[in-house]
Amino acid sequence: MKKLYFVLLLLIIPFSLVKAQDNRETLTDLKKIYESLEYNTIAFDDLKQKWIINDPLFIREIFNRFVVRDALRLNEAKVDIETVKKLTQQIYDGVVVIDLRKRYYDSEVELFAFINVDEIGKEEPKYLFDPIIDGFYLREIIGGALYERVKVEGYFLSDITKKIYDVKPGYFFDVKLNLLEPEVMFWNTTSDYRNKYLLSLFGMWGNDRIFIPGWYSKEYVAGLKLTYYKTISQNPKNFTYSVSVGASLPSGRPFVGDKTYKPLFISGKSLYFNIIGDPLKFVFDDFEDFQVMLEVKYTMDDYAKKDYGITDSLDFYSNRTYFNIEAKKRNLFNLFDFGQFEIGLGVSNPDINWYRITKRNAKVIDLEAGKKEWTDKFNHHVYLDLGAVRTGGLIQHSTNFIISHNLKDGGYFGLKTQVMLSENFGFDVRIFSMYGTEKKKMAPWREDSYLVFSPIIRINY
Amino acid sequence: MEKYVTKLWLTILFIVISGGSLYPQSLPLDDLYSRIQNKLKEDKSYLNIHSVPLQLKDGEIQNLQNIPRSDEKAPFSFQISDNTTYNIIFLKEAIEVDSINVLFVNEITDKAAAGETFFGDAGSGPQIDTTIVLTFKDIQELYFYNKEKYDFFFNYVKTYLKEDEARSLLGINVDEDIKKSKGISSTNNLDFLNFMRVNYNHRYPKPALQKRAGRSRRGATTEQSATSMQIDATFTSVSFFHETLDFGFSTLSGEVSLGNRVLNIHPMQSMTLKGGLRFLISVSEDNQDLDNDFLLDAKLMGRMRLNTASFADKVPFLFIKKPKLNVGSGLIVDLSATRLFGLPFLNFYIATGSQELEKPYVQFGTNDSSVAYYSSQQWEASMSFFWNSNEALTLRFRMDLGAANYNVIEFLYKNGISKKLVFNQIQPFVSFHMNFAPKNNDFLGTNFRYYDGQLSFNFWLKLFELPPEHTFRFETFYITAPLFRSVRPWELEEGTSLIQIRYRYGF
């Protein structure tokens, strides 16, 4: 008898296994057909509209339709009541949300999945049930009316659509019209089709790092800037290094005027040099986003009396030299979706010279000659820069809070922000306020607060 | 003991049998059939599937009788009829699909032609009725259980595709829906040429026809123009070209006009008349190809003083007071070049002449003591950038960025003549141009320019066109008073405007 059973078993097992295998292959083939029916837009997956339904009642409503329709599947098989109960409990606990993605060329849903909140943002999230990859099947499950409500997004949701960069570094031109720091990228080339050298004209009105910003300065630096991308990046801030060389030009002060305090004049022809790079990257390949900046201005000669265009007697000041060093770590973390947090530390060292022009004297008089060594003319600011930068999407910004300390006449704290709409239009506002010294004791050329701003127009193709 | 062993074997047998037979049943095959059929029925836009007409021959119809169908539906028999046609809908090869997959077959019946309509007659037009006669599940079951029938449809499609192309049922037009984050900028001279053809007062040849021109040099082809000459004329300028002045690699045209490019003044206010020649030189390796050649647009002109101030404030379309700045005679060189070595489009203009002012047209003061302001030299250097809002080139933009300079000499007439340079600054300028040209038909344009603390604005609108190529435009110009600074002695205290009609022929 035992032998008979054994023979029967040997006959039946292969038959059953072959049948199961056939069905599995059929299912696989049908799934491939099902998944291939639509026009393939896989290249746009990361740009498709994505959102998460957070509304607890709405989630229950949808989930209940799945239960009623018996449409929950796990590894392509129906789920048992225990699994449903378990998920229901998670929904009661509020840890289940719905992950959705729309098709690229129309507004139908192409991905729908119940997901634990802890899985959001992961590259390969673990869904609680098999995701629905067909909006028409989803409509069949939850009904036409509810499906339309899901599509119109008229409920509490979190939009997690990837924001693409609108800036195209190194295509043809990148014109950034900003009174405070304009830049015109007008030429580019490559040596191996992966890298880019961009050549720009740049301007800089005043200098925030020495706390004489924008139109409070009678000095406008203009020159050429070379920016190098080792690998062309969609994020324009990911350059490998940039070198700027320029000269100082006299500028007016259209919004400030020459008030009673003594202004800072240009007292000679000067050269400006700035280099920003990531030196540690040359040593450690994985160490990224650590930027070091070195900035120098040096005045090479002295203006004659006639060059100032001043006919009356006047005492005035001049900043002839500065050298600044700054280190900044970018992209530290996402600060509450406000932007990528960055932190910088810098030292700036401007000198201040005191001169006099009189009607009788044919030469400009250095009022500190013989009294001060050239090193004594320097101020030393140490500053901390905490910022958040958001690139891509409709609104981009860089917002930095800066606080400095200067032993001579107090420090400054302030805010610098540039906000752009689609990288086309925006504004630049910088505000600084002095602390730690009385107004009466301040150097005559200093202001206790500064406010500068400029509209920005950016054309980038 | 044997009893227990038997039970154990029986249990194993049951598990294996039930497992083997039940496992496939737990797979959602029907579920999947349902989803696919629902998708094929509902999705009107995204299905990347194709259709071929099934034209049956007499010999083939025998094989297509009593085709079994799923879900206990009655078998289906194909028929040959004038009123009935069939389509095989199939999926082409895809990433994970190695061969053609027949999806379903539908039947299209013209009931009107068959005389089956209840209302009206066959003459009222076709009444098409489309029915799916073999569903996806039917076809799949043919594939599994009636391979010969399935192979007929499969082979039919394969044979058809060798000779003909299947009709795509994709509802979206992916070519039209190409998305770009921003507009577009051409890689060659196209944007520059489009702009110049619409806004410039001299000829830029239009895209060439295939016909070869008798006069052309180096393989140049004729332009798509019905006229042999071009004229651009306003109240303040006229330019002209005739085809005899087309030398292939270069064309020549003439211009006479009032006005000054650098100064913030209207043509009548410049008190000069200029005239000269314009050359368009195309540097190409072989055949002339304006889109890709290096182009140099050069004007060489002379400028002479003309007392337009005496009547400028009386001209009805010029809403200004008498100008205050005298501009001198001299020479003008005006150059524009296309992108050389990948640089932007470059422009350079210089107008220079004598620094002596013998007889000012405008001066202030009394007979004993008067002062006149005079500008002898102006220059401007700029880069031009072009882009469009989209590939249709409907909205076209241009931006010029550069620096400009002019001098002002003050002449004091008091006990003789003394002069002093009172202004000579290099200042940046920026100008924006926008053209609206739906379907490549120029309709309107506008332009803003900020230089030397003054904003100038220009707007034009096409009024009408007459055959063969007469065009009339309405134009208006406005220059503001100085912004953010005080008015200089040679400047007007208030904004000024000019309205005129522009006539263009042959452009």
Side-chain angles (χ1 to χ4, degrees):
Chain A
M1 190 63 186
K2 262 174 26 180
K3 282 180 184 171
L4 180 66
Y5 286 139
F6 186 71
V7 170
L8 269 173
L9 197 63
L10 284 178
L11 286 171
I12 290 167
I13 286 175
F15 172 75
S16 301
L17 290 178
V18 167
K19 196 178 172 193
Q21 180 65 22
D22 281 352
N23 275 281
R24 212 170 294 133
E25 281 176 8
T26 305
L27 182 76
T28 308
D29 288 347
L30 285 180
K31 273 190 72 186
K32 283 179 183 172
I33 291 173
Y34 183 45
E35 287 166 7
S36 303
L37 288 174
E38 283 193 0
Y39 182 77
N40 199 331
T41 54
I42 193 169
F44 302 102
D45 269 3
D46 63 330
L47 300 180
K48 290 169 184 169
Q49 190 187 346
K50 294 173 196 166
W51 74 107
I52 287 167
I53 299 179
N54 299 0
D55 190 319
L57 273 179
F58 198 52
I59 292 170
R60 288 178 191 223
E61 179 71 53
I62 295 169
F63 177 69
N64 208 55
R65 302 282 174 105
F66 271 76
V67 174
V68 171
R69 181 72 168 67
D70 191 21
L72 295 169
R73 298 283 183 275
L74 193 57
N75 299 323
E76 297 156 3
K78 288 186 176 183
V79 293
D80 55 36
I81 188 67
E82 289 308 315
T83 312
V84 174
K85 279 181 180 170
K86 216 180 281 176
L87 178 72
T88 311
Q89 187 57 48
Q90 288 189 50
I91 287 175
Y92 296 159
D93 296 341
V95 294
V96 175
V97 291
I98 300 172
D99 191 12
L100 289 123
R101 189 171 74 209
K102 274 188 181 172
R103 297 202 295 207
Y104 188 65
Y105 290 111
D106 65 13
S107 61
E108 302 294 344
V109 173
E110 74 164 20
L111 181 101
F112 174 100
F114 292 102
I115 184 174
N116 192 294
V117 285
D118 294 335
E119 294 291 314
I120 295 170
K122 290 187 178 172
E123 256 183 48
E124 289 182 6
K126 196 176 160 192
Y127 295 120
L128 294 167
F129 295 101
D130 292 350
I132 308 291
I133 56 157
D134 172 10
F136 298 93
Y137 178 53
L138 178 66
R139 184 162 63 187
E140 202 181 296
I141 297 168
I142 64 175
L146 197 54
Y147 178 70
E148 289 305 315
R149 278 186 65 196
V150 168
K151 276 202 319 183
V152 297
E153 300 159 45
Y155 42 81
F156 190 70
L157 62 93
S158 297
D159 193 338
I160 53 167
T161 309
K162 180 181 174 182
K163 306 290 187 284
I164 57 167
Y165 295 107
D166 278 330
V167 179
K168 300 167 181 169
Y171 270 37
F172 291 132
F173 55 87
D174 185 1
V175 180
K176 192 176 178 185
L177 300 178
N178 175 350
L179 286 171
L180 303 174
E181 47 178 36
E183 187 170 338
V184 180
M185 191 283 283
F186 61 92
W187 188 76
N188 70 80
T189 189
T190 177
S191 59
D192 64 3
Y193 299 100
R194 283 174 296 155
N195 62 12
K196 276 274 185 184
Y197 295 86
L198 312 182
L199 204 57
S200 312
L201 292 169
F202 80 96
M204 187 176 75
W205 199 358
N207 190 320
D208 302 332
R209 285 174 282 272
I210 61 170
F211 299 96
I212 308 169
W215 58 63
Y216 290 87
S217 169
K218 289 177 79 75
E219 181 176 66
Y220 208 106
V221 173
L224 275 175
K225 180 177 176 180
L226 173 73
T227 308
Y228 173 67
Y229 289 83
K230 191 177 176 186
T231 309
I232 192 75
S233 166
Q234 282 193 311
N235 186 345
K237 291 183 186 294
N238 288 348
F239 58 83
T240 312
Y241 64 78
S242 86
V243 181
S244 308
V245 178
S248 286
L249 304 168
S251 76
R253 296 160 35 117
F255 304 103
V256 180
D258 288 332
K259 290 193 263 185
T260 49
Y261 65 87
K262 311 224 170 5
L264 285 170
F265 282 175
I266 294 179
S267 55
K269 293 189 187 75
S270 60
L271 272 178
Y272 172 85
F273 177 78
N274 181 313
I275 182 165
I276 304 175
D278 196 345
L280 292 180
K281 213 172 174 179
F282 292 103
V283 185
F284 310 105
D285 279 348
D286 297 335
F287 201 84
E288 287 188 329
D289 300 328
F290 183 76
Q291 272 185 349
V292 177
M293 184 215 66
L294 174 68
E295 182 180 44
V296 178
K297 186 191 85 167
Y298 178 68
T299 303
M300 298 177 295
D301 62 1
D302 297 304
Y303 276 169
K305 182 183 170 184
K306 65 178 175 57
D307 295 326
Y308 290 93
I310 297 167
T311 48
D312 298 326
S313 296
L314 180 74
D315 286 3
F316 64 91
Y317 296 88
S318 176
N319 164 234
R320 292 175 61 83
T321 307
Y322 58 70
F323 60 95
N324 310 326
I325 301 170
E326 182 185 280
K328 188 175 270 187
K329 179 78 178 118
R330 296 169 50 232
N331 299 328
L332 277 168
F333 55 86
N334 189 355
L335 185 69
F336 311 117
D337 212 26
F338 182 64
Q340 287 292 321
F341 187 74
E342 61 183 29
I343 184 167
L345 191 64
V347 181
S348 61
N349 310 280
D351 74 349
I352 295 296
N353 297 269
W354 192 10
Y355 296 111
R356 175 173 292 164
I357 288 175
T358 62
K359 286 184 179 176
R360 282 178 294 178
N361 205 321
K363 288 187 173 177
V364 179
I365 303 163
D366 182 350
L367 292 172
E368 293 172 324
K371 295 175 190 169
K372 274 186 178 179
E373 291 295 319
W374 69 275
T375 50
D376 296 334
K377 295 179 179 179
F378 280 90
N379 287 299
H380 304 285
H381 300 267
V382 179
Y383 62 88
L384 178 70
D385 180 341
L386 305 171
V389 178
R390 188 184 170 94
T391 47
L394 181 67
I395 294 176
Q396 309 81 44
H397 74 88
S398 67
T399 305
N400 295 68
F401 173 76
I402 294 160
I403 184 161
S404 78
H405 183 68
N406 174 12
L407 288 175
K408 278 191 179 172
D409 56 1
Y412 281 91
F413 64 94
L415 201 66
K416 289 170 61 177
T417 184
Q418 283 191 12
V419 179
M420 296 290 288
L421 196 63
S422 293
E423 285 287 3
N424 282 128
F425 305 100
F427 61 85
D428 184 337
V429 179
R430 300 165 191 197
I431 183 163
F432 296 99
S433 189
M434 184 175 255
Y435 73 92
T437 189
E438 290 176 37
K439 199 169 180 179
K440 284 182 282 184
K441 293 180 182 172
M442 282 187 342
W445 50 273
R446 277 225 176 274
E447 290 274 358
D448 59 341
S449 64
Y450 294 99
L451 168 68
V452 294
F453 57 87
S454 169
I456 305 172
I457 299 172
R458 185 172 198 169
I459 314 289
N460 171 234
Y461 285 95
Chain B
M1 184 67 186
E2 192 179 336
K3 193 176 155 190
Y4 289 112
V5 172
T6 307
K7 276 187 179 174
L8 182 65
W9 277 111
L10 277 172
T11 310
I12 292 170
L13 190 62
F14 174 77
I15 290 169
V16 170
I17 293 169
S18 60
S21 57
L22 287 178
Y23 176 72
Q25 283 170 19
S26 71
L27 294 176
L29 268 180
D30 280 340
D31 203 19
L32 209 43
Y33 279 133
S34 162
R35 288 191 211 180
I36 292 172
Q37 288 184 168
N38 182 51
K39 186 158 188 66
L40 290 171
K41 187 178 157 198
E42 299 291 335
D43 197 343
K44 306 291 182 201
S45 56
Y46 247 66
L47 293 180
N48 192 20
I49 58 178
H50 295 76
S51 156
V52 296
L54 176 61
Q55 287 158 344
L56 295 171
K57 295 168 190 160
D58 287 336
E60 291 168 336
I61 200 77
Q62 302 300 324
N63 296 329
L64 297 176
Q65 299 301 305
N66 292 318
I67 295 177
R69 299 198 285 186
S70 62
D71 299 330
E72 298 175 1
K73 285 180 288 185
F76 179 76
S77 298
F78 283 82
Q79 54 176 311
I80 297 178
S81 159
D82 289 343
N83 313 318
T84 306
T85 54
Y86 299 96
N87 282 323
I88 304 173
I89 318 303
F90 66 99
L91 178 69
K92 278 186 177 175
E93 293 91 340
I95 286 178
E96 285 198 290
V97 180
D98 296 331
S99 71
I100 287 166
N101 276 271
V102 178
L103 298 173
F104 61 92
V105 178
N106 63 21
E107 181 186 73
I108 301 160
T109 311
D110 185 349
K111 287 187 174 174
E116 289 178 19
T117 51
F118 188 77
F119 298 104
D121 54 24
S124 62
Q127 292 185 12
I128 303 300
D129 190 9
T130 304
T131 320
I132 296 176
V133 290
L134 292 176
T135 65
F136 178 71
K137 193 176 177 185
D138 299 337
I139 293 285
Q140 287 301 308
E141 293 201 346
L142 289 182
Y143 176 79
F144 290 120
Y145 309 118
N146 213 329
K147 197 77 184 348
E148 190 191 343
K149 295 272 192 287
Y150 178 86
D151 284 348
F152 172 81
F153 297 114
F154 178 82
N155 291 328
Y156 185 91
V157 173
K158 284 207 85 168
T159 311
Y160 185 93
L161 291 181
K162 280 179 189 164
E163 294 169 2
D164 228 325
E165 207 167 304
R167 186 167 67 93
S168 171
L169 300 182
L170 184 64
I172 49 172
N173 188 339
V174 290
D175 291 331
E176 276 184 12
D177 287 345
I178 290 173
K179 293 181 183 177
K180 284 195 166 61
S181 52
K182 283 187 180 176
I184 190 166
S185 184
S186 72
T187 54
N188 54 17
N189 300 335
L190 180 67
D191 292 338
F192 169 80
L193 292 169
N194 280 343
F195 181 86
M196 297 305 252
R197 282 172 187 139
V198 170
N199 296 278
Y200 201 42
N201 61 344
H202 288 273
R203 169 187 179 263
Y204 269 86
K206 289 178 183 173
L209 294 173
Q210 293 303 312
K211 186 184 73 172
R212 286 206 170 270
R215 288 187 47 77
S216 62
R217 309 290 197 274
R218 294 190 301 152
T221 51
T222 52
E223 64 179 273
Q224 191 179 352
S225 175
T227 63
S228 58
M229 62 186 298
Q230 275 90 32
I231 298 171
D232 180 287
T234 67
F235 301 136
T236 55
S237 76
V238 60
S239 64
F240 49 91
F241 163 81
H242 190 269
E243 63 180 9
T244 53
L245 299 173
D246 182 353
F247 306 113
F249 66 93
S250 168
T251 61
L252 193 62
S253 49
E255 176 181 333
V256 178
S257 60
L258 304 171
N260 190 289
R261 176 163 155 176
V262 174
L263 299 168
N264 286 315
I265 53 177
H266 290 299
M268 288 283 185
Q269 294 174 299
S270 71
M271 296 186 285
T272 53
L273 176 72
K274 59 191 183 196
L277 297 173
R278 176 265 194 174
F279 304 85
L280 176 65
I281 300 162
S282 153
V283 181
S284 53
E285 289 179 359
D286 190 8
N287 288 341
Q288 190 184 42
D289 175 9
L290 288 187
D291 280 352
N292 295 296
D293 290 350
F294 170 71
L295 302 178
L296 180 68
D297 188 320
K299 277 184 187 175
L300 294 174
M301 304 178 86
R303 183 168 76 181
M304 57 176 275
R305 296 177 63 221
L306 181 70
N307 191 6
T308 51
S310 59
F311 58 88
D313 53 348
K314 297 178 182 64
V315 178
F317 49 84
L318 191 60
F319 303 98
I320 57 164
K321 290 181 177 175
K322 198 171 181 178
K324 292 181 176 178
L325 182 66
N326 297 277
V327 181
S329 302
L331 286 171
I332 298 171
V333 177
D334 186 353
L335 304 171
S336 291
T338 57
R339 303 182 68 194
L340 194 61
F341 306 120
L343 288 165
F345 297 87
L346 299 174
N347 314 295
F348 180 72
Y349 169 94
I350 185 165
T352 185
S354 166
Q355 294 203 346
E356 298 303 321
L357 177 63
E358 287 187 359
K359 189 180 171 188
Y361 293 141
V362 182
Q363 56 188 318
F364 314 98
T366 60
N367 290 336
D368 299 338
S369 172
S370 66
V371 63
Y373 294 97
Y374 171 66
S375 179
S376 64
Q377 179 177 297
Q378 306 85 38
W379 64 259
E380 181 184 291
S382 64
M383 296 185 286
S384 296
F385 304 95
F386 297 87
W387 72 100
N388 307 279
S389 60
N390 55 39
E391 281 178 290
L393 314 182
T394 306
L395 278 176
R396 303 166 181 178
F397 301 94
R398 168 180 173 166
M399 178 168 55
D400 290 353
L401 278 174
N405 162 268
Y406 67 93
N407 66 354
V408 176
I409 302 165
E410 184 185 81
F411 282 81
L412 181 62
Y413 299 93
K414 185 180 180 182
N415 303 325
I417 304 170
S418 64
K419 66 175 184 179
K420 185 170 69 173
L421 182 68
V422 291
F423 187 84
N424 188 21
Q425 283 184 6
I426 300 171
Q427 296 179 80
F429 78 88
V430 58
S431 67
F432 282 101
H433 306 254
M434 190 197 78
N435 283 170
F436 177 55
K439 296 182 178 173
N440 207 26
N441 185 5
D442 52 303
F443 182 63
L444 63 86
T446 186
N447 155 28
F448 293 87
R449 180 177 188 260
Y450 185 78
Y451 169 63
D452 191 25
Q454 284 180 274
L455 191 66
S456 49
F457 167 76
N458 161 227
F459 171 80
W460 63 260
L461 176 73
K462 186 193 275 185
L463 293 176
F464 52 88
E465 271 185 88
L466 297 173
E469 289 192 41
H470 303 277
T471 308
F472 293 86
R473 288 179 183 174
F474 165 80
E475 285 188 347
T476 181
F477 300 82
Y478 183 77
I479 301 172
T480 67
L483 309 167
F484 313 120
R485 65 168 173 82
S486 54
V487 178
R488 297 180 187 124
W490 58 88
E491 292 172 337
L492 296 173
E493 290 83 4
E494 57 196 31
T496 58
S497 59
L498 165 68
I499 293 172
Q500 65 180 6
I501 300 294
R502 182 177 293 273
Y503 165 69
R504 284 161 74 84
Y505 173 70
F507 280 88

